[in-house]
Amino acid sequence: MAVQQSRQIAIVIAEKNPLLQSSLVKLFAGDDRFHVAAVANDGERFLDTVDRTPFDVGVIGWEMPNLDGRGVLQALRGRNDAPRLIVYTGSPNPDVPRQAMTLGAAGFCSKREPPEQLLDTIIAVAAGRMVFPFIDVSSLASDPLAGLTPRERELLAALAGGLTNQQMAGQLDISLNTVKFHLKNLYDKLGVGNRAQAVAFYLKGHESR
């Protein structure tokens, strides 16, 4: 059934590649169903735009400087006034659509798809639907560890090994603040509140395999 539109769909783009930015702006400018309200080149600027510019749908990258797509979704999770978000990425990681869905995205579109696929996804999402490639939704509940990034898995294993934050920073060659940032994301994904609960979750997950 065709989607009835009474007005243009206002879009904000968050994309690190300037060439792709301009290509997307041209794509939307050539279709009177859409209006580009703003363009950001990273997740932090996108969040600034959310706070000051009303719009319907955000088209965000997954891998962006300063704040990536995961961070954007986490920052907006639970906000009643948040725009609906589509993750638009060329990431080869087959788990990204599932992670995006788990974090509250409304849609996913691969950059390998024709541009028309992105337009169709935006229209559907603006109409209140969710648009994702096939995802085995049973895995969302059965294995929360599957949603962790490789770095988060490293940190979880390090936690289980008894390492302190400072030791993890040294072992992984990252800053202490970065360790704390990843641990917060890790705890959020696992639904735990502290280090001991995360370790218990890790051990339980390995026992069941």
Side-chain angles (χ1 to χ4, degrees), residues 154-171:
E154 280 184 297
L155 287 170
L156 185 55
L159 281 179
L163 271 64
T164 65
N165 288 5
Q166 192 71 53
Q167 288 170 329
M168 285 188 281
Q171 179 174 300

Side-chain angles (χ1 to χ4, degrees), residues 98 136-147 201 204-205 208-209:
R98 190 195 62 76
D136 182 2
V137 292
S138 65
S139 68
L140 297 179
S142 63
D143 186 12
L145 296 181
F201 204 111
K204 181 180 177 182
S208 63
R209 291 179 183 179

Side-chain angles (χ1 to χ4, degrees), residues 5 10 19 26 38 84 88 113 118 120 129-130 133 188 197:
Q5 283 183 230
L19 290 176
K26 288 178 183 176
R84 293 173 67 77
Y88 184 55
E113 298 288 344
L118 177 60
D120 291 344
R129 297 204 292 271
M130 294 182 70
D188 288 345
Q197 291 173 354

Side-chain angles (χ1 to χ4, degrees), residues 94-131:
D95 195 48
V96 170
R98 190 195 62 76
Q99 291 184 44
M101 177 186 281
T102 303
L103 291 169
F108 176 90
C109 185
S110 170
K111 290 176 180 176
R112 292 184 290 274
E113 298 288 344
E116 292 75 23
Q117 180 69 35
L118 177 60
L119 301 182
D120 291 344
T121 300
I122 293 171
I123 290 170
V125 164
R129 297 204 292 271
M130 294 182 70
V131 183

